[in-house]
Amino acid sequence: MKQWRCTVCGYIHEGEEPPEICPVCGADRSKFVEIVTEEEAEEKTTAKIDPLEPETEAKGADAPETTPDPLSKYDRIYQLMVKHHVHPISVHIPNGLLPVSVLFFLLAAIFKFTGLSHAAFYNLIFVVFAMPLVLFSGVIVWQKKYNGAMTTLFLTKMICGGVVSLTAMILVIWSIADPGVLALTSAHLGAFLFINIVMLGAAVTAGFLGGKLVFRD
């Protein structure tokens, strides 16, 4: 049975042909390459050699040597970010704080407990300041580890990240401009809570897709 590897996410498929779409990252079949063992590779290489063709002369001592271009300072930083998992570490901040913030806002609206609304507000401030690093490190991982492939999965993750950033900023600004928005008599309470749900849904979706990439199932 042949094996095919997705060059975007590394998913391994077994079959005579690669799948139409990668079940993990959504890349099309053109991104799959067949996995060939060393023995098979040697056989193919030997078969391609024309016995009548003279051997190519070895490169002389005077031949110019090519050296790879040294990595730029930024490339080194980006590689270190990928190597030391800056994105999955940073993304735990909004993933951990957002559910608590939404729950606290809901409880504050129901039980009229301002302490919970204040706690939710401060949690959201942390989220707002964390999201630039989350988004930036996510783009670096996408470019360096997944070759910048624009599949449905990565596009959805980017949209979700933008939604989380935007809605978190809206909620923080709204809380400052209208401290009484969580009052049951407030005309904007429903809209405020709806934005909370949208923000949480986007964070959950992005986390689910990220986990799908990591665990590949």
Side-chain angles (χ1 to χ4, degrees):
M1 184 73 71
K2 293 182 179 179
Q3 288 188 322
W4 306 83
R5 181 177 64 85
C6 176
T7 57
V8 176
C9 69
Y11 168 76
I12 304 298
H13 172 79
E14 292 187 355
E16 291 302 317
E17 298 290 336
E20 293 295 331
I21 297 177
C22 177
V24 174
C25 69
D28 61 46
R29 66 183 303 166
S30 65
K31 299 296 183 181
F32 279 82
V33 295
E34 184 179 356
I35 299 176
V36 181
T37 63
E38 292 184 4
E39 292 78 6
E40 292 174 336
E42 290 178 0
E43 290 177 1
K44 290 182 178 180
T45 303
T46 304
K48 290 180 180 179
I49 296 177
D50 187 352
L52 301 178
E53 184 178 349
E55 294 184 0
T56 305
E57 294 183 0
K59 182 169 62 174
D62 296 334
E65 294 184 359
T66 58
T67 56
D69 294 333
L71 294 175
S72 69
K73 176 177 65 175
Y74 296 108
D75 284 332
R76 288 196 295 269
I77 293 174
Y78 298 157
Q79 288 188 353
L80 287 173
M81 290 176 66
V82 175
K83 179 180 179 181
H84 296 290
H85 312 294
V86 173
H87 179 64
I89 291 173
S90 62
V91 83
H92 277 74
I93 297 175
N95 282 354
L97 294 178
L98 284 179
V100 176
S101 298
V102 174
L103 177 62
F104 281 6
F105 275 136
L106 288 172
L107 293 176
I110 295 172
F111 298 107
K112 301 179 181 180
F113 187 19
T114 57
L116 289 177
S117 64
H118 291 160
F121 171 75
Y122 292 123
N123 281 348
L124 278 184
I125 290 179
F126 275 101
V127 172
V128 169
F129 281 103
M131 284 307 297
L133 177 60
V134 171
L135 297 177
F136 178 72
S137 61
V139 170
I140 297 302
V141 171
W142 171 61
Q143 291 178 337
K144 300 298 182 181
K145 188 174 181 179
Y146 300 106
N147 303 317
M150 184 53 73
T151 66
T152 303
L153 183 144
F154 292 112
L155 179 59
T156 304
K157 279 178 60 66
M158 291 176 186
I159 293 174
C160 288
V163 169
V164 171
S165 298
L166 180 61
T167 50
M169 286 189 289
I170 290 174
L171 292 174
V172 167
I173 295 173
W174 198 338
S175 298
I176 295 173
D178 184 9
V181 68
L182 288 175
L184 294 178
T185 56
S186 173
H188 303 115
L189 175 61
F192 186 86
L193 295 179
F194 175 76
I195 294 177
N196 272 270
I197 300 302
V198 170
M199 176 180 65
L200 182 59
V204 169
T205 302
F208 170 77
L209 295 177
K212 188 175 181 181
L213 272 177
V214 172
F215 299 107
R216 299 177 186 175
D217 56 13

